[in-house]
Amino acid sequence: MNKVIEANFLPHQPEDDFSWPHSTPTSRVNETSRVNEKRRILIVDNDTNATHLVRILLEKTGQYLVLEENSSTMAHRSARIFRPDLILLDVVMPIRDGGEIAAQIRADPELQNTPIIFLTALVTPTEAKAGVHIDGHPFLTKPINIQELISTIDERLSAQAKLFD
């Protein structure tokens, strides 16, 4: 079932031949020109119910366009095609964990500046609020509080935009 959804959303042509409308292929220099556009969020988690619920809740705000990716092995490819403004990344997944995916994204010149927020059930909300980061990235605990998620997304996107001003 997941493959059908993925196949209908992602293009069937090679990555280099495809670009999303209004996307900036290799840099985010024109970040301020995207203010009125929906922000692109990629959520990578093997829990299809969780990604679907988060997508619905974020898209209901009218501020975000969300792509769900439930395969850890396809996360990097989906990020290269979708060109997200931010990635929500589960820490514990089969085959490849969130740390490996984050390292692959940081090593990609076209994605290396994309902010990442880790999602995890491995720590308590108290530990998360203590300001601890995973590999330099903030994280939120599961189950996800949608208001806290939106606030953290907005903070990360604002901080990223300031880097390019």
Side-chain angles (χ1 to χ4, degrees):
M1 184 166 135
N2 180 34
K3 294 297 180 190
V4 174
I5 292 169
E6 181 179 77
N8 289 335
F9 188 85
L10 294 175
H12 296 284
Q13 57 218 41
E15 293 176 29
D16 296 333
D17 296 334
F18 181 82
S19 68
W20 289 95
H22 310 293
S23 66
T24 51
T26 57
S27 87
R28 301 202 185 267
V29 174
N30 296 326
E31 197 70 26
T32 54
S33 68
R34 298 181 65 178
V35 170
N36 294 327
E37 292 183 34
K38 290 183 181 182
R39 306 311 298 263
R40 297 172 183 275
I41 307 292
L42 172 63
I43 180 167
V44 181
D45 192 325
N46 59 296
D47 183 341
T48 57
N49 292 328
T51 59
H52 189 69
L53 179 61
V54 170
R55 180 183 61 81
I56 288 170
L57 293 172
L58 288 176
E59 287 185 345
K60 263 185 126 56
T61 69
Q63 298 175 29
Y64 309 104
L65 175 63
V66 180
L67 173 64
E68 301 172 54
E69 179 54 71
N70 302 114
S71 168
S72 62
T73 58
M74 295 297 294
H76 181 245
R77 180 179 182 275
S78 293
R80 286 189 58 92
I81 293 170
F82 187 60
R83 303 274 186 227
D85 295 301
L86 183 136
I87 299 170
L88 300 173
L89 184 55
D90 188 20
V91 173
V92 178
M93 290 181 282
I95 304 172
R96 300 182 66 217
D97 67 31
E100 291 175 271
I101 296 166
Q104 188 177 22
I105 288 168
R106 277 194 313 272
D108 186 326
E110 294 185 18
L111 298 171
Q112 66 186 2
N113 294 320
T114 306
I116 295 172
I117 298 172
F118 281 110
L119 307 175
T120 184
L122 298 176
V123 297
T124 67
T126 304
E127 292 169 321
K129 290 184 189 327
V132 176
H133 285 70
I134 300 173
D135 240 1
H137 302 286
F139 64 92
L140 296 173
T141 60
K142 291 180 177 182
I144 297 168
N145 174 307
I146 196 66
Q147 285 81 19
E148 184 179 12
L149 176 61
I150 290 170
S151 174
T152 305
I153 289 171
D154 290 344
E155 287 171 16
R156 293 292 291 165
L157 290 175
S158 292
Q160 186 70 11
K162 288 178 185 175
L163 291 175
F164 293 100
D165 283 347

